[in-house]
Amino acid sequence: MEPTIFAQGLRKYYGDVPALDGFDLTVPAGTVCALLGPNGAGKTTAVRIFSTLLRPDAGRAEVAGCDVTARAAEVRRRIGLVGQHAAIDEILSGRQNLELFGRLYHLGRRGARNRADELLERFGLADSGGNAVSTYSGGMRRRLDVASSLILAPSVLFLDEPTTGLDPRGRAEVWDMVRQLVNTGTTVLLTTQYLDEADQLAGQIAVLNSGRVIAEGTPDKLKARIGGDRIEIVVDEGQDLAVAGAALAAVAGGRLEIDTRCRRLSAPVADRRRALYDAVRALDVAGVRTEDVAIRRPTLDDVFLHLTGQSREESLA
Amino acid sequence: MSGPVGAARWALLDAVAITGRDISHWVRRPLPVVVTLLFPVMTVVLFGYLLGGAIDVPGAGNYFDYLLPGMFALTMAFGVEATMLAVITDAAKGVTDRFRSMPMASSAVVVGRCSADMLSSALGLLVLVGCGLAVGWRWHEGWAAAVAAVGLLLLLRLALLWLGIYLGLLSKDPGAVIAVQILVWPLGFLSSAFVSPQTMPGWLGAIADWNPLSATANAARELFGNPGWGGDSWMAEHSVLMAVVWPLVLIAVFAPLSVRRYQRLSR
């Protein structure tokens, strides 16, 4: 598949400080890619370069087949940008915002009005369309903000920390919205500090640290990088740990980890479904009573700490 | 549509849309507009009735006749903070970035800002003229001269608009607007707006003579046929000329600076 977002060796300095330091990325059309990283990793800088707001100091960036510096005007016709702050006019109503942006997208007065109607309906804002944006909730603002970015039905949408500062409900709303967009074939690049968000939404994750992609792949692939699934058992009585350990060792290969204080045992497993079944049976046969038995997949938090912790040590060395 | 004609048409339509946005602001939130319109009226009443009795008008005459052209010019300077606040707010809310990421004419943001602010200043001038007529101020040199005076006043506003845009792009903090709000006052007092520079100590009077506000205020006095224009300094004698030169100089400095600053947003 042809890449819709492409970057090679992007560099951007603020004074002497590198914000992007050899940033590479390839996002195929119709997929969601999450840029994951801590504050200052360069996520926003990357999005600002892709959306023509910033010029890179070196390297190449293309969006929808157009170079972002040489053919900025063409890029702007093909993208939507949702920045960190809801970039909407607080004094105007939701409808007035959409009509204003529609006219600036050259839809004409009538075209802008019709498009505003459609988008208000689609984003559940039809009832509040006439109210001033200053009366909207955080989630409503975000929805209006995204609606404003979709006026031209862009083929690429950039979402810069779309759920930062939203309550759980607002967050769920934005997630639903992104999933719907992907169903319509839009390519989405989103930045986030929330690992579960990247896990929930993205088919591809690029972990960013100090202006560079330090790991990339599907969520599953990234998790596999620090080891696969583990089985975890918490026994009722501490004295059962040895017996339980023996039973577990028989069904799960690999090294057993024992935490006596928490009465917990864990071991890597190859086949998660089978391992759970076998372990429960083996423990039952051994007569061990358990408080908890679970297969735990590594979270993206594990991946993230693993990767950035490592690179932090490198940079300290 | 394509080519330069199409591009110019879109640039115009974009500017109209941006101007319309500001006008919608006035309709949806009228209070700040009313305050902006009435503040100069309050100042005229304050200075005219409370302090005016103690102020000598050069060549003897009604203080309101002297004050009104000065207040017209000062009201043009009050506009700086409105322009600046609008620019800062759009940048802080990310609206500027949204405009920049859209396929619209980049000139439209500035042209729209200009036309909206010029409209509001023209309205402010109209209200203040009405106020002046109510307190007894008149123009005596006919309509053509009066219209020329209004033209010079709006030219000063246009120049200060570019100053406002530049200051707005320069500062990221809305608090900077408060500094400008305060600094407008010494700028106003250190001009011929309220009292004649001839009554000031020589060195201070010279500074006041060179103040662009003085040039426009004195030129307006001359064209309206109000007392207090002219004087013994070169600046005071050529106020109409300077009321054209000063704004053009300000525009020549701050328009390119603003454009450069705007382009630098992408650095």
Side-chain angles (χ1 to χ4, degrees):
Chain A
M1 226 185 302
E2 201 180 311
T4 292
I5 304 171
F6 173 77
Q8 193 175 45
L10 277 189
R11 277 170 216 283
K12 179 74 197 174
Y13 295 88
Y14 294 117
D16 290 338
V17 186
L20 286 184
D21 194 12
F23 172 86
D24 301 315
L25 189 72
T26 303
V27 182
T31 63
V32 182
C33 174
L35 288 183
L36 182 64
N39 279 332
K43 304 185 298 288
T44 298
T45 304
V47 166
R48 289 177 71 84
I49 288 175
F50 284 129
S51 53
T52 77
L53 294 179
L54 268 185
R55 280 164 183 274
D57 293 328
R60 199 155 65 90
E62 282 176 14
V63 173
C66 303
D67 187 279
V68 295
T69 39
R71 294 164 72 191
E74 284 161 83
V75 171
R76 287 178 193 144
R77 268 195 287 276
R78 291 168 170 82
I79 61 165
L81 169 66
V82 181
Q84 280 183 20
H85 310 282
I88 37 183
D89 191 309
E90 293 271 314
I91 302 173
L92 300 183
S93 69
R95 170 183 301 279
Q96 282 179 314
N97 267 284
L98 291 174
E99 285 183 13
L100 169 68
F101 294 127
R103 287 175 64 189
L104 293 173
Y105 276 118
H106 303 161
L107 296 183
R109 219 176 257 272
R110 181 189 298 249
R113 197 176 309 141
N114 292 341
R115 187 67 179 145
D117 282 334
E118 282 168 30
L119 287 166
L120 288 172
E121 187 66 42
R122 176 169 153 202
F123 286 90
L125 294 167
D127 293 336
S128 41
N131 301 344
V133 171
S134 50
T135 65
Y136 283 20
S137 71
M140 286 163 77
R141 269 166 217 243
R142 209 24 117 177
R143 276 184 281 158
L144 180 65
D145 194 21
V146 175
S148 310
S149 311
L150 294 179
I151 286 172
L152 275 198
S155 57
V156 184
L157 184 67
F158 297 103
L159 297 162
D160 193 7
E161 302 203 359
T163 59
T164 298
L166 291 187
D167 59 17
R169 194 175 144 195
R171 235 176 133 189
E173 283 176 12
V174 170
W175 286 4
D176 283 346
M177 212 162 54
V178 173
R179 290 193 187 105
Q180 279 176 29
L181 282 174
V182 178
N183 287 338
T184 62
T186 313
T187 309
V188 177
L189 179 68
L190 67 94
T191 75
T192 183
Q193 300 187 43
Y194 303 118
L195 310 147
D196 57 330
E197 186 161 286
D199 200 8
Q200 286 275 339
L201 296 175
Q204 178 193 358
I205 296 176
V207 183
L208 216 64
N209 199 34
S210 308
R212 203 182 297 217
V213 174
I214 54 169
E216 200 181 354
T218 62
D220 285 339
K221 203 171 123 195
L222 281 178
K223 289 170 188 168
R225 266 185 72 160
I226 61 156
D229 300 334
R230 296 183 75 84
I231 186 161
E232 253 184 34
I233 296 166
V234 179
V235 297
D236 273 4
E237 306 288 341
Q239 71 244 26
D240 288 347
L241 272 173
V243 185
L248 203 58
V251 296
R255 208 164 60 86
L256 208 63
E257 275 179 25
I258 304 173
D259 182 342
T260 43
R261 198 167 55 85
C262 302
R263 307 187 308 280
R264 184 164 54 206
L265 286 163
S266 75
V269 295
D271 182 340
R272 63 198 316 260
R273 244 174 287 179
R274 172 125 200 194
L276 186 62
Y277 192 66
D278 290 349
V280 169
R281 217 166 29 187
L283 289 167
D284 192 34
V285 169
V288 177
R289 299 210 316 187
T290 55
E291 196 177 291
D292 192 21
V293 179
I295 299 282
R296 198 167 90 81
R297 314 198 81 170
T299 63
L300 276 170
D301 292 81
D302 297 332
V303 178
F304 193 66
L305 287 174
H306 181 75
L307 291 169
T308 53
Q310 216 169 36
S311 59
R312 199 177 301 136
E313 279 157 29
E314 278 165 17
S315 64
L316 285 173
Chain B
M1 199 181 326
S2 59
V5 177
R9 182 168 168 263
W10 281 132
L12 188 71
L13 285 174
D14 287 349
V16 169
I18 300 273
T19 312
R21 170 188 175 218
D22 270 74
I23 294 172
S24 304
H25 281 186
W26 305 342
V27 174
R28 293 193 72 96
R29 208 175 267 187
L31 190 64
V33 183
V34 173
V35 170
T36 308
L37 292 180
L38 291 186
F39 183 74
V41 172
M42 189 200 79
T43 313
V44 165
V45 170
L46 194 70
F47 278 83
Y49 287 119
L50 292 179
L51 306 174
I55 296 174
D56 283 331
V57 177
N62 185 337
Y63 180 58
F64 280 114
D65 275 350
Y66 181 84
L67 174 66
L68 257 296
M71 272 314 297
F72 293 150
L74 190 59
T75 304
M76 297 300 103
F78 287 154
V80 172
E81 63 205 47
T83 304
M84 194 178 158
L85 187 63
V87 173
I88 292 178
T89 308
D90 273 358
K93 294 271 175 207
V95 175
T96 306
D97 278 348
R98 182 183 293 282
F99 287 153
R100 290 176 60 227
S101 75
M102 288 171 66
M104 58 183 282
S106 52
S107 64
V109 178
V110 170
V111 176
R113 171 91 276 123
C114 279
S115 52
D117 284 356
M118 290 305 288
L119 270 177
S120 101
S121 290
L123 192 64
L125 207 50
L126 194 69
V127 169
L128 202 54
V129 165
C131 157
L133 292 174
V135 298
W137 166 81
R138 295 289 182 270
W139 66 86
H140 307 286
E141 304 291 329
W143 279 95
V147 168
V150 169
L152 287 180
L153 287 163
L154 291 176
L155 179 65
L156 177 68
R157 175 68 184 100
L158 185 65
L160 294 174
L161 202 144
W162 282 105
L163 175 68
I165 290 177
Y166 181 65
L167 292 176
L169 289 172
L170 206 60
S171 52
K172 293 185 171 64
D173 179 12
V177 178
I178 295 171
V180 170
Q181 263 171 345
I182 294 168
L183 286 173
V184 164
W185 284 100
L187 186 82
F189 283 120
L190 208 55
S191 76
S192 69
F194 296 108
V195 294
S196 167
Q198 284 165 305
T199 65
M200 302 176 187
W203 61 275
L204 208 58
I207 296 175
D209 267 339
W210 278 85
N211 188 331
L213 278 184
S214 302
T216 302
N218 288 343
R221 286 182 183 117
E222 185 173 342
L223 291 165
F224 285 136
N226 293 140
W229 58 276
D232 38 19
S233 71
W234 188 91
M235 289 298 285
E237 276 171 18
H238 299 83
S239 47
V240 174
L241 173 70
M242 287 315 291
V244 175
V245 170
W246 260 130
L248 292 184
V249 168
L250 289 174
I251 292 171
V253 171
F254 288 106
L257 278 178
S258 304
V259 170
R260 212 173 67 140
R261 189 89 205 162
Y262 190 76
Q263 286 167 343
R264 284 209 162 198
L265 291 176
S266 63
R267 293 252 176 109

